[in-house]
Amino acid sequence: MNKANRFLIIGAGQAASQLALSLRKEGWQGDITMLAVEATSLYQKPFLSKSYLTGEKSSDAIRIKPLTAYQKKGIEIIDNAHVRKLDRHKKQIELSNEQQLDYEKLAICSGATPRQLAIPGSDKQNIFYLNTLTDANLLKQFIAQHRPQSAVVVGGGFIGLEAASSLTKLGLNVTLLEHEERVLNRVCSKSVGKYLSEIQKENGVKILTHSKATEFTGGKKVEGVVTAAGLKVDCDLVLIGIGVQPNTHIAEQAELKVDNGIATDNNGLTNDPCIYAAGDCASQFSTDIGQYMRIESVQNAISTAKRIAAHACNQPEPKSELPWFWSDQFDTKLQIAGLASNYTHTIERVESNKLSLWYFSHEKLVATECINHPSAFIFAKQAIVKGLRLEQEKLQNSEYALADTVIKQSEKEIV
């Protein structure tokens, strides 16, 4: 391998892993080095709040790939690697242990960090965040050793709802505090949010909306949470899930463009021709909303990594992939296809215990939210990618099969 031709990747998550493997596939002949902040890296984060927390999956089961897969491709992984400085002119990074690494190309895949809830009592024990394997292990160990009876989850986004589901499965009485009018207010439709709220309540989770946490009470250990309305909810532990902030400090220090994340073009390239960014730390300009946006999803991390690898190796750009997301809560699965950022109206389709919401920009389908309906999710992805027109009156009527809602076009139809 040629050290002068090193592709250096800051990070060891989904984007970093895919990029390293894709670089070899696209023909990168030089060294590939991944810098992992954690001692244990290359795992799938979405499982931390779901089946890993409940014990249904082990740490080995949530690995992205076995370590041998990287070794066979000659990919180096340096654990506990904290980047202190990026020198774009020398094309060199410096680690906290003063080790210096040169690069020909660099990708920042540093992910995101949970937003901290800085209120009185936030330094008490038994207050958890859930972002890394270490976070999940600390929470699991606490539950196993102390057998807590009750928990408060602060935040009604995906992490909060998934954690509430998992903690309930582990036998805790869970109260979820959401400061807005409903859960998932910024990421899902009102009907989907209501549906998932009912699922949570049916399984014993108490959801309090319009409830902003203002103080943690207790001695050294948290004993309760006080809301802005003066309500006190007693608990043995608190889990906070109020969103994340992109890790952009290295980019800022190196004076790369940052706008709601490290700003990149469609190929993941920053304003430095030798530096890319991908995953939760990166943003791309959206013509639909007229600003840079971040897409926090496994699919987006993988898709961007593939484009970076192709661009770096002067290979044809791979086909763009439709963004998609998923969430498991109790026995309910939510799947989202596309981005509902620019739409004119929605259509709701109800089939027994299946619910789907279809977002249209006039006649064009742009996104779909599906609950317990994987076939609708697959259908919607194909329809959006192929640009198929759907007969909206039939779509709203569950007596019609989804395939029968397609308006006949030239040669391609969904089967």
Side-chain angles (χ1 to χ4, degrees):
M1 296 294 180
N2 182 3
K3 295 290 184 184
N5 196 26
R6 174 192 277 131
F7 201 116
L8 192 59
I9 304 171
I10 299 176
Q14 197 79 56
S17 171
Q18 184 64 56
L19 176 54
L21 295 171
S22 292
L23 283 167
R24 283 287 182 247
K25 183 178 179 180
E26 297 291 356
W28 185 269
Q29 296 299 310
D31 274 21
I32 300 174
T33 302
M34 280 194 286
L35 304 178
V37 173
E38 299 176 75
T40 303
S41 55
L42 300 163
Y43 57 86
Q44 302 175 71
K45 279 193 175 183
F47 289 108
L48 296 182
S49 57
K50 307 181 186 75
S51 51
Y52 183 73
L53 183 56
T54 60
E56 298 167 75
K57 287 186 181 292
S58 66
S59 57
D60 285 340
I62 66 170
R63 280 195 177 277
I64 299 171
K65 296 279 187 183
L67 290 178
T68 53
Y70 307 93
Q71 294 167 355
K72 289 177 181 178
K73 300 294 183 181
I75 297 167
E76 180 185 21
I77 303 171
I78 302 177
D79 291 331
N80 296 310
H82 297 266
V83 178
R84 178 159 57 187
K85 182 180 179 182
L86 164 59
D87 190 323
R88 292 165 53 194
H89 303 291
K90 291 182 179 180
K91 298 180 73 172
Q92 184 182 83
I93 64 101
E94 182 179 306
L95 301 180
S96 57
N97 63 3
E98 299 186 354
Q99 181 182 1
Q100 295 176 334
L101 297 170
D102 297 325
Y103 65 85
E104 178 62 29
K105 300 284 186 181
L106 173 73
I108 304 175
C109 305
S110 50
T113 301
R115 294 183 184 277
Q116 303 294 298
L117 185 56
I119 59 176
S122 59
D123 59 344
K124 297 185 185 299
Q125 297 175 15
N126 307 347
I127 298 176
F128 298 89
Y129 291 84
L130 193 52
N131 182 56
T132 66
L133 191 62
T134 299
D135 294 336
N137 285 337
L138 288 172
L139 179 54
K140 290 177 69 172
Q141 289 165 12
F142 174 79
I143 293 172
Q145 292 172 7
H146 300 280
R147 304 292 181 184
Q149 298 299 306
S150 59
V152 168
V153 174
V154 181
F158 285 130
I159 291 294
L161 289 172
E162 290 165 1
S165 170
S166 296
L167 291 172
T168 300
K169 288 181 179 180
L170 291 171
L172 281 75
N173 295 315
V174 178
T175 300
L176 185 144
L177 304 180
E178 168 54 53
H179 76 277
E180 296 193 27
E181 62 180 359
R182 65 175 178 86
V183 300
L184 301 174
N185 196 34
R186 288 170 287 179
V187 293
C188 281
S189 64
K190 187 175 183 178
S191 58
V192 168
K194 181 180 179 182
Y195 189 103
L196 292 175
S197 289
E198 291 304 316
I199 294 295
Q200 293 278 340
K201 292 174 183 177
E202 288 172 7
N203 283 276
V205 177
K206 185 177 182 180
I207 295 179
L208 303 178
T209 56
H210 296 291
S211 297
K212 183 178 180 181
T214 56
E215 182 184 358
F216 297 122
T217 64
K220 289 184 178 181
K221 299 177 181 179
V222 69
E223 295 176 5
V225 184
V226 178
T227 70
L231 176 68
K232 180 184 175 184
V233 183
D234 295 330
C235 61
D236 301 317
L237 73 87
V238 171
L239 190 144
I240 300 171
I242 55 174
V244 297
Q245 294 177 309
N247 293 327
T248 60
H249 54 285
I250 292 298
E252 292 169 3
Q253 170 261 310
E255 298 184 344
L256 293 170
K257 181 178 180 179
V258 173
D259 191 332
N260 187 27
I262 304 171
T264 67
D265 65 10
N266 189 55
N267 290 310
L269 192 65
T270 68
N271 56 300
D272 185 310
C274 295
I275 300 179
Y276 300 87
D280 290 355
C281 68
S283 63
Q284 291 184 353
F285 190 80
S286 169
T287 55
D288 285 341
I289 62 175
Q291 62 187 36
Y292 280 89
M293 68 177 296
R294 292 185 306 112
I295 301 176
E296 297 168 10
S297 77
V298 170
Q299 176 277 332
N300 182 65
I302 291 173
S303 178
T304 304
K306 289 179 179 178
R307 291 200 302 274
I308 290 174
H311 186 268
C313 296
N314 298 312
Q315 298 296 330
E317 180 181 336
K319 186 184 297 184
S320 295
E321 298 179 25
L322 183 73
W324 57 266
F325 314 83
W326 61 281
S327 177
D328 287 334
Q329 299 168 35
F330 297 103
D331 295 327
T332 299
K333 179 179 285 291
L334 168 66
Q335 294 171 293
I336 302 174
L339 298 175
S341 57
N342 188 16
Y343 63 95
T344 55
H345 63 283
T346 62
I347 287 179
E348 187 173 298
R349 182 181 173 99
V350 180
E351 305 171 65
S352 184
N353 69 329
K354 302 172 183 178
L355 172 69
S356 55
L357 197 78
W358 305 70
Y359 292 80
F360 285 88
S361 176
H362 302 289
E363 299 300 318
K364 181 182 178 182
L365 178 67
V366 295
T368 309
E369 298 167 349
C370 303
I371 291 180
N372 294 332
H373 207 333
S375 59
F377 172 68
I378 294 170
F379 174 90
K381 285 204 300 181
Q382 293 180 2
I384 295 170
V385 170
K386 293 181 179 180
L388 297 182
R389 289 182 58 204
L390 306 181
E391 193 168 334
Q392 297 181 27
E393 288 188 8
K394 286 185 177 180
L395 182 64
Q396 197 167 13
N397 187 343
S398 61
E399 292 183 4
Y400 290 94
L402 287 171
D404 294 335
T405 67
V406 178
I407 298 175
K408 297 292 178 69
Q409 298 180 82
S410 53
E411 70 285 346
K412 292 186 178 180
E413 298 177 37
I414 291 182
V415 179

